[in-house]
Amino acid sequence: MFSSPNPKRFYRSRTDKVWLGVCGGLAERFGWEPTLVRLLFVASIFFMAGPLSIIAYIVIAMITPKVPIGMPSLRPEEDQFWRNVSDRPRMTASGLKYTFMDLEERLRNIERNVTSEEWRLKKAFRDLEQN
């Protein structure tokens, strides 16, 4: 079975849990405040679907694994990187496309400046000043 290299997968939390760790796991996965996730869950029980919310919570708890023991914690810059990686390949490919288009435009501007007569003239003046 193929396993994603992305460590920001959805797991039930072992440390930030009240009952089964589903709300804590959602908060860890998406970088939200756990208290806010729990309040939204409680609000969904009272104002929306009541028993359906509780059944959904239990089903998610049954099918979602707990965080593996010994899973290394990420440094802040790694955490930020993985939060920006999309789980959807089309979104990731689209983001790469625009990143490469931006890099290509910047490279064109650099080439245009370096190959211009003005740049050669400025370089000649700098060489004269240094000698």
Side-chain angles (χ1 to χ4, degrees):
M1 176 106 187
F2 176 74
S3 176
S4 170
N6 187 347
K8 300 307 288 182
R9 295 186 48 185
F10 175 51
Y11 294 110
R12 290 186 346 217
S13 178
R14 289 183 184 270
T15 57
D16 191 14
K17 66 179 189 174
V18 172
W19 186 30
L20 296 173
V22 173
C23 292
L26 280 171
E28 286 176 11
R29 168 63 176 95
F30 293 107
W32 299 334
E33 185 63 35
T35 306
L36 178 66
V37 176
R38 289 185 185 102
L39 287 174
L40 289 173
F41 174 69
V42 170
S44 74
I45 291 172
F46 287 116
F47 297 115
M48 292 182 191
L52 289 177
S53 296
I54 295 170
I55 292 170
Y57 184 92
I58 292 170
V59 168
I60 291 171
M62 287 190 309
I63 64 173
T64 306
K66 287 185 177 180
V67 174
I69 296 174
M71 184 172 173
S73 59
L74 298 175
R75 295 188 317 258
E77 59 271 8
E78 288 177 320
D79 186 56
Q80 182 63 34
F81 170 80
W82 285 111
R83 286 197 192 282
N84 291 332
V85 172
S86 175
D87 292 331
R88 295 171 288 177
R90 276 199 183 151
M91 295 299 291
T92 302
S94 175
L96 283 174
K97 174 185 171 186
Y98 288 111
T99 301
F100 281 121
M101 286 172 57
D102 180 54
L103 288 172
E104 184 177 354
E105 181 65 30
R106 291 169 57 190
L107 184 59
R108 281 187 193 143
N109 289 336
I110 291 170
E111 287 175 347
R112 192 174 318 128
N113 289 334
V114 169
T115 58
S116 71
E117 289 297 321
E118 180 182 349
W119 187 84
R120 288 187 190 130
L121 185 61
K122 286 181 181 179
K123 184 178 181 325
F125 280 127
R126 278 193 303 264
D127 291 344
L128 287 173
E129 287 175 352
Q130 290 176 354
N131 291 336

